[in-house]
Amino acid sequence: MQRSAVRPSPVFLGILALTVVGGLLAAFGDADSLGSANEDPMVIGGIFVLVVAGWAASLTLHEFGHAFLAYKGGDHSVVGKGYLNLDVRRYTDPVLSLVLPLILLAIGGIPLPGGAVWINRWALRSRAASSWVSLAGPLSNFVVGLLLSLAVAFIPMADGLSYGLSYLALLQILTFVLNILPVPGLDGFGAIEPYLSPQTREFAAKVRPWAPLALFALLFAVPAVANVFWDLSDFVFRAIGGSTFDASAGNYAFMFWRH
């Protein structure tokens, strides 16, 4: 791949800088005040900024992963579309792809998929390349979640920072589990789609616009479905060394308006 093909945008660097600022605020805030009558706004604000900015950065990496593997697989049109510049604005509509998912995350705590990149599947060299393009996004979330969990486990840090990073790591695993499901419209289905019969792919194309919405409705409205999803995500989170206590504390601080 040409060295000039990937150019991190100022927007992405700004998101990373905002993530660092949130981490510093969380680290220097009074994490022991959480749950008390005098909660420190610095630690709450820091965790909130860290999680929101970190989620925006991970969304960018998710979509960049799709585009990068597409480029390696033969679709060079992603360069002209600006997908390799790590600019979240390139990944479809900024409101529907970034703002709305962040609002839903803040309301319900479920990280719904946000952005999307338009890949020319016909330009890809093989079915395997097409599958890896689909898998690249959720795998990037898994790797980010793993690295954050390992950082919390092995690097000494302030409690506030540990809480924020752990919750952000949990969100990465939730995103990984959600996206890897074999539901039309999600990356998990995209990974197996090249190997399905033409009739199955035709049916999937018809249900793709509303299948994810039906899944999200089940997650919000049917406790049994939501419990399976959360239990599976929790299992994966624990398996990679994630701290459920720290993630719960981070979730508590992030949802500050609820208390």
Side-chain angles (χ1 to χ4, degrees), residues 88-192:
V88 71
R89 297 173 299 178
R90 296 287 185 174
Y91 306 135
T92 71
D93 183 83
V95 175
L96 297 178
S97 302
L98 181 63
V99 177
L100 182 59
L102 287 174
I103 292 175
L104 293 174
L105 172 64
I107 294 174
I110 296 179
L112 303 182
V117 293
W118 301 106
I119 304 298
N120 180 8
R121 299 277 174 172
W122 296 104
L124 300 177
R125 298 188 183 96
S126 64
R127 290 186 295 179
S130 183
S131 292
W132 279 110
V133 168
S134 294
L135 290 173
L139 286 178
S140 72
N141 292 114
F142 179 83
V143 171
V144 171
L146 174 63
L147 293 177
L148 291 177
S149 297
L150 292 177
V152 171
F154 294 106
I155 299 177
M157 63 181 68
D159 286 344
L161 180 58
S162 176
Y163 296 163
L165 292 180
S166 294
Y167 182 51
L168 181 57
L170 175 60
L171 292 179
Q172 300 304 311
I173 299 305
L174 290 170
T175 304
F176 165 74
V177 173
L178 183 65
N179 273 279
I180 210 69
L181 296 176
V183 175
L186 299 182
D187 294 327
F189 185 84
I192 64 174

Side-chain angles (χ1 to χ4, degrees), residues 3 9 12 15 40 104 116 123 143 155 247:
R3 189 177 297 274
S9 71
F12 181 69
I15 291 173
D40 184 1
L104 293 174
V143 171
I155 299 177

Side-chain angles (χ1 to χ4, degrees), residues 13-29:
L13 297 178
I15 291 173
L16 290 182
L18 190 60
T19 305
V20 172
V21 170
L24 290 173
L25 292 174
F28 288 100

Side-chain angles (χ1 to χ4, degrees), residues 6 38-39 44 50 61 63 124 142 161 181 184:
V6 179
N38 298 307
E39 293 180 328
I44 292 177
L50 168 63
L61 292 174
E63 301 304 334
L124 300 177
F142 179 83
L161 180 58
L181 296 176

